[in-house]
Amino acid sequence: MELSVDWSRAQFALTAIYHFLFVPLTLGLSFIIAIMESIYVKTGNEEWKKITKFWLTLFGINFAIGVATGIIMEFEFGTNWANYSWFVGDIFGAPLAVEGILAFFLEATFFAVMFFGWNRVSKRFHLISTWLVAIGSNLSAFWILVANGWMQYPVGTMFNPDTARNEMTSFLDVALSPVAVSKFLHTVASGYVISALFVMGISAWYLLKGRHFIEAKKSLVVGASFGLLTSIFLFFSGDESAYQVTQKQPMKLAAMEGIYEGEHRAGLVAFGILNPNKKPGDDESVFLFDFTIPYALSILGQRDTEGFIAGIDDLLYGNEEKGIPPMDARIQSGQLAVQALKDYKAAKAENNTVLMQESKEILQANMHNFGYGYLENKEQAVPPVALTFYSFHLMVALGSFFFILFIIVLYLAMASKIEKFRKILWLCVIAIPLGYIAAEAGWIVAEVGRQPWAIQDLMPVHIAATKLSHINVQISFFIFLVLFTTLLIAELGIMAKQIKKGFAH
């Protein structure tokens, strides 16, 4: 069973990683295209129409392949994670259904007009269609991230012991959860930055090659401007996201910053190398080397320079002064909840209403720790610290680099000096894959950092998985690996061919 779970996790991670290679470009490039077309409609300058059509073609190539990987990922919830789907299907399925019925159909309806409506509809209607595609693609992301946000912070629901399922009590609580909203804002902002890097990098390549100077220069300015604005928004949304993680997922935050012993006035590690020998509860130093910004983590996580940040040891062994129970107590509480559910089912089968009521009360009192009842030991509650820590700091470092790059490029472009700085132009080209690396690192933090949970505190990953033969999962894993890699190579090939053609009519 354990081998099957590991392969199911690997398969879902594979699908998610490939899917997120396509999604960010769709989220941001759609708005960049809408901005470019707005300039065309406003000015009537045919160069802007040519520029818009060029980037629209690249958007269409990416959009088509992104849809394919997204559909497969949603099917995997039923095939590989049936227990999860049963446990939360009434909740998790609702935002995904809204995404399909409203957002995706909005996006798909006007997609055809955006692509094939040139010279068939008026300029203004075509522009409206382009903006609606951009809005629709981002609404799709919103509902998907609402579903993911609920897994990180389950709210607006209650557990029904008769069906052994969670049922929604408030759709608004689920949709407007602070974790879901901050996750959406931060994720789409990262997509906007990737799109800006994509536009800026390809434009820089044309300038390096001495081709399409006017179109490339204009695209570069739009890309750098969009990137600078969205980078600023990315920092603010990241700050809110870190605050929500501190409040709702303290173990993830501890792993992100390599904190074992909780502290007031906690500093933010700007750079550090973890001690690979460090284990919870021992006396080993956490870092071989680190550079820390004083007070920054307390401000980030608690909005207070004196704020207390819990460490891994506090969360495992408890901190009575701070009201943090030991993990063993949470496991015992979870075991009570799991046993109470079994007793409730047995009493129901025997029509023993007194025992049913007693078991239900015990279950409700301990439901907040339900998932801990399936952990074999407290150490299982600790996510992979090194992977989470380094992924988080890589994401932040790259995000800071992009912000500086946008400022430099925009200044040089507006001063008509950018073509003279070839090293900066090459940095723009190199930054395209770096943007994707930063985004994937962010998803590693979000998903690896919350392990072992499929649903925070309610369902561990190994309980969420379908009982499948690991051979079956292995076979499908390698089929998807070949399929997705082929699609990626095909997309890169088609895009390269289109980029080589340039801004032709």
Side-chain angles (χ1 to χ4, degrees), residues 7-8 11 14 80 468-483:
W7 275 102
S8 291
Q11 185 187 83
L14 173 76
N80 293 54
L468 296 171
S469 165
H470 72 273
I471 299 296
N472 292 334
V473 185
Q474 280 179 320
I475 292 171
S476 57
F477 173 88
F478 287 110
I479 289 173
F480 288 148
L481 177 61
V482 172
L483 175 62

Side-chain angles (χ1 to χ4, degrees), residues 133-429:
V133 168
I135 293 169
S137 61
N138 281 262
L139 280 176
S140 289
F142 173 74
W143 292 112
I144 291 168
L145 290 166
V146 162
N148 182 271
W150 185 85
M151 296 166 69
Q152 312 269 351
Y153 178 53
V155 292
T157 65
M158 64 174 290
F159 181 72
N160 185 341
D162 293 306
T163 60
R165 302 182 72 181
N166 277 276
E167 298 175 353
M168 188 180 296
T169 56
S170 173
F171 181 75
L172 284 180
D173 285 349
V174 174
L176 301 179
S177 158
V179 172
V181 171
S182 66
K183 176 170 284 294
F184 165 70
L185 294 175
H186 193 56
T187 302
V188 296
S190 72
Y192 299 160
V193 169
I194 286 175
S195 304
L197 292 170
F198 180 80
V199 170
M200 198 169 71
I202 292 173
S203 301
W205 183 82
Y206 283 125
L207 294 177
L208 286 166
K209 297 298 179 181
R211 298 176 57 197
H212 306 295
F213 181 84
I214 294 174
E215 294 90 344
K217 179 79 174 292
K218 289 182 175 181
S219 296
L220 187 80
V221 170
V222 172
S225 302
F226 188 75
L228 180 58
L229 291 174
T230 54
S231 285
I232 295 170
F233 181 68
L234 186 67
F235 285 131
F236 281 106
S237 62
D239 171 76
E240 178 61 22
S241 183
Y243 174 75
Q244 292 300 333
V245 168
T246 306
Q247 305 303 312
K248 312 299 192 308
Q249 297 173 295
M251 185 66 82
K252 180 193 285 187
L253 190 280
M256 286 163 57
E257 278 296 299
I259 299 174
Y260 281 80
E261 294 184 10
E263 55 185 302
H264 293 276
R265 302 178 293 280
L268 182 71
V269 178
F271 175 78
I273 300 175
L274 292 170
N275 180 356
N277 298 318
K278 175 64 179 174
K279 298 289 187 297
D282 67 18
D283 295 325
E284 291 273 353
S285 60
V286 179
F287 294 97
L288 299 177
F289 168 81
D290 69 290
F291 174 74
T292 302
I293 304 171
Y295 304 104
L297 189 58
S298 286
I299 295 171
L300 194 71
Q302 300 291 1
R303 304 289 192 253
D304 182 359
T305 56
E306 297 291 321
F308 179 78
I309 302 296
I312 292 172
D313 289 349
D314 298 281
L315 297 166
L316 283 185
Y317 306 110
N319 185 325
E320 187 175 350
E321 180 185 348
K322 299 301 177 183
I324 302 173
M327 191 62 64
D328 285 337
R330 301 199 71 174
I331 291 174
Q332 290 172 5
S333 172
Q335 290 171 344
L336 283 174
V338 172
Q339 185 59 50
L341 178 59
K342 294 177 181 178
D343 293 342
Y344 180 87
K345 290 181 176 179
K348 184 178 180 181
E350 297 172 359
N351 199 26
N352 186 337
T353 56
V354 174
L355 183 56
M356 284 176 64
Q357 183 60 32
E358 290 177 355
S359 301
K360 189 173 183 178
E361 290 174 359
I362 295 172
L363 176 61
Q364 290 174 340
N366 295 279
M367 191 64 205
H368 61 290
N369 290 319
F370 185 79
Y372 290 89
Y374 293 102
L375 299 184
E376 295 177 3
N377 54 69
K378 58 179 175 286
E379 286 75 19
Q380 281 186 300
V382 181
V385 176
L387 182 56
T388 306
F389 175 87
Y390 288 121
S391 296
F392 174 69
H393 287 82
L394 176 63
M395 175 189 68
V396 173
L398 287 174
S400 302
F401 164 68
F402 300 148
F403 176 68
I404 295 170
L405 183 62
F406 287 134
I407 293 175
I408 293 172
V409 170
L410 187 58
Y411 170 76
L412 292 175
M414 297 301 290
S416 298
K417 297 178 181 179
I418 187 65
E419 63 274 9
K420 299 176 183 178
F421 291 83
R422 295 182 66 83
K423 289 183 179 179
I424 297 295
L425 292 174
W426 277 116
L427 272 180
C428 292
V429 176

Side-chain angles (χ1 to χ4, degrees), residues 94-105:
L96 295 184
V98 174
E99 185 267 336
I101 294 169
L102 296 180
F104 184 75
F105 277 115

Side-chain angles (χ1 to χ4, degrees), residues 81-96:
W81 305 99
N83 291 337
Y84 167 84
S85 297
W86 169 262
F87 190 64
V88 299
D90 292 348
I91 305 151
F92 190 77
L96 295 184

